[in-house]
Amino acid sequence: MTPPVQPPQPLALYGPDFAADPQSHYRRLRAHGPLAPVRLAPGIDALLVTDYQAAVDLLRDPHTFTKDPRAWQATVPDDSPVLPMLGYRPTALFSDGDVHTRYRDAINDSLALIEPHVLRAEVARVAQRLIGEFAATGSGDLIAQYARRLPVHVFVTWFGVPPGDSERIVNGIAGMFNSAEDAATAYADLVEVVTELVADRRARPRRDLTSYLLAHPADLDNDETVRQITLIMSAGHDPTTNLIGNALLHMLTDVRYAGSLHGGAMTAHEAIDEVLWHDPPLANLAAHYPRHDTEFHGVRLRAGQLVLVSYAAANSQSVPGRSDSGIRSGASAHLAWSAGPHRCPAKQPALLIAMTAIEQLTSQLCDAELDVPVSGLEWRQGPFHRALVRLPVRFTPVDMTAETDRREAAESASDGPSAVSIGP
């Protein structure tokens, strides 16, 4: 008698092995079909979509799948480290239908206030200041000293966050993505910062996105406003940091870039595009839950079961130039920005921030080189992101003191920078 076929054991998407070599994990998962069992944290299992067409079909099917996690969440311990990323909150990310439209409109209308030319100038200003802080030393960590610090300065400007709270925002967002034991504490601190900000702007509106969200026709209450802001920050800060860091690493290690930031024939735009295909800053997310028991691409799904999309695995299957994928895909067909009704609403600002950040760095530290072997680089652990811990480089020291003094004098004579235009 033939013994029954046992389902595969879930493959862990956390720990140093996955962080060091996620693509080998995706290849093992793909051998089980378009969806395969994974473990996000001890005791937290899910199905991961690794097939490109299956991923597109899921992302564009709100009738079969819901984004509301509350039925699944009821089966998860309250202290699970994945809940800061996957637990329900009243935001566009965790809602469907009219509720999703209401939240999404408020976010879209807010982001539409960001003037691209003003944003570019603001990012360039911050980038030059950050580079100036370590340019004279001849070495630096492009993650800690640059890629991680730059986006938060933009958010501080957009939302009017007190500068003293910047570090709490960065730590809160990083803790969420790491999905470690302190994830809930990190997220709670992020919420506390934004809650204080929203309460202040409710009483004293200013020319910033926080005040605009509170005044938006969607009529968000204070908690809804807090949750949309924390969503924008968490979805915008770490992924943008990772995009900048991964693209810089690509330029430093790919022979087409000649091993330095300004020595090859390819551009920052091309580096970013290749990273979005091969090392997307959000590797696995897009949590969905079947509304009822169903079959999807030959796999039986239970109502309320957690199903994630692997943007990284799906992209690697359909990357342009592959002749064996059977999928027709253009250069912009990757899923790094997701797809369907929940596709990223901040694609253009994120690209502009990353592009400007890289262009500023390559123009100032044009001979920067990796200061450790590639094998010595460490990747942050966690199931959701693809993110470097450090990116150490060496370069010819540059004295930017005069330029920094000139810029600071010009800023002190003005009303200060702003990346948004909210009207009179």
Side-chain angles (χ1 to χ4, degrees):
M1 181 176 178
T2 303
V5 177
Q6 297 297 319
Q9 289 297 307
L11 190 63
L13 298 190
Y14 58 94
D17 291 343
F18 175 70
D21 187 13
Q23 286 297 335
S24 68
H25 286 65
Y26 299 143
R27 286 192 293 271
R28 292 167 60 188
L29 291 168
R30 196 176 288 117
H32 297 298
L35 292 84
V38 295
R39 184 155 292 160
L40 306 178
I44 307 297
D45 293 348
L47 284 176
L48 187 70
V49 179
T50 60
D51 176 81
Y52 182 89
Q53 190 58 57
V56 172
D57 291 345
L58 183 146
L59 293 169
R60 293 178 175 173
D61 187 1
H63 302 292
T64 303
F65 296 93
T66 177
K67 292 286 289 179
D68 189 328
R70 282 177 284 190
W72 165 81
Q73 190 173 337
T75 68
V76 176
D78 291 341
D79 61 352
S80 172
V82 301
L83 286 183
M85 285 293 289
L86 301 179
Y88 174 78
R89 293 181 286 279
T91 72
L93 185 61
F94 301 107
S95 57
D96 307 296
D98 291 343
V99 175
H100 171 254
T101 299
R102 174 172 168 257
Y103 291 147
R104 179 89 177 196
D105 285 349
I107 291 172
N108 285 343
D109 291 347
S110 298
L111 294 177
L113 296 171
I114 301 169
E115 301 270 5
H117 69 285
V118 179
L119 176 59
R120 181 184 290 277
E122 167 69 359
V123 173
R125 181 190 69 84
V126 174
Q128 290 172 17
R129 180 168 65 79
L130 293 176
I131 295 167
E133 292 178 2
F134 63 90
T137 67
S139 65
D141 175 5
L142 298 185
I143 300 299
Q145 294 176 279
Y146 192 64
R148 186 174 297 139
R149 294 180 63 193
L150 194 151
V152 76
H153 281 277
V154 176
F155 285 125
V156 165
T157 300
W158 285 359
F159 291 101
V161 178
D165 288 333
S166 298
E167 199 66 26
R168 292 174 67 188
I169 290 173
V170 172
N171 292 338
I173 295 169
M176 292 172 59
F177 278 90
N178 291 342
S179 295
E181 292 181 357
D182 62 349
T185 301
Y187 178 68
D189 194 49
L190 172 65
V191 170
E192 181 178 331
V193 173
V194 179
T195 298
E196 293 170 357
L197 172 67
V198 168
D200 179 77
R201 292 302 189 272
R202 179 72 77 178
R204 291 173 290 277
R206 298 185 188 177
R207 291 171 55 85
D208 53 39
L209 292 189
T210 301
S211 301
Y212 180 79
L213 277 169
L214 287 166
H216 190 272
D219 194 26
L220 304 178
D221 63 28
N222 277 20
D223 185 61
E224 289 176 317
T225 306
V226 168
R227 303 300 176 168
Q228 308 321 307
I229 293 174
T230 56
L231 171 62
I232 295 170
M233 287 182 172
S234 60
H237 182 273
D238 256 37
T240 304
T241 294
N242 302 343
L243 180 57
I244 295 169
N246 294 357
L248 288 171
L249 174 62
H250 192 51
M251 298 177 74
L252 288 164
T253 56
D254 191 300
V255 295
R256 292 169 296 171
Y257 298 90
S260 71
L261 292 182
H262 203 60
M266 300 187 76
T267 65
H269 182 277
E270 289 167 314
I272 287 173
D273 195 56
E274 291 193 2
V275 162
L276 291 171
W277 272 107
H278 298 283
D279 269 322
L282 272 182
N284 307 295
L285 200 56
H288 286 73
Y289 310 85
R291 296 180 183 273
H292 47 75
D293 293 351
T294 188
E295 182 173 307
F296 180 74
H297 280 255
V299 178
R300 295 296 302 173
L301 302 178
R302 304 186 312 274
Q305 184 174 9
L306 173 58
V307 182
L308 299 178
V309 171
S310 178
Y311 303 131
N315 283 356
S316 65
Q317 184 194 36
S318 60
V319 64
R322 280 194 56 173
S323 59
D324 60 337
S325 68
I327 298 170
R328 296 180 62 188
S329 59
S332 299
H334 59 72
L335 297 178
W337 306 108
S338 193
H342 287 270
R343 65 192 178 279
C344 177
K347 172 183 174 181
Q348 296 307 322
L351 282 173
L352 183 57
I353 292 170
M355 193 84 62
T356 306
I358 293 172
E359 290 171 349
Q360 288 295 316
L361 195 71
T362 58
S363 67
Q364 300 291 343
L365 309 179
C366 57
D367 64 347
E369 297 178 346
L370 198 60
D371 203 22
V372 298
V374 175
S375 59
L377 294 171
E378 182 182 356
W379 296 87
R380 283 170 54 192
Q381 297 182 31
F384 304 114
H385 54 207
R386 181 63 170 161
L388 285 162
V389 175
R390 299 176 63 245
L391 185 57
V393 295
R394 61 179 180 271
F395 47 85
T396 301
V398 179
D399 186 356
M400 297 176 60
T401 305
E403 174 60 23
T404 300
D405 290 345
R406 184 201 64 77
R407 186 176 61 253
E408 290 179 351
E411 289 173 8
S412 64
S414 68
D415 293 332
S418 176
V420 297
S421 177
I422 302 181

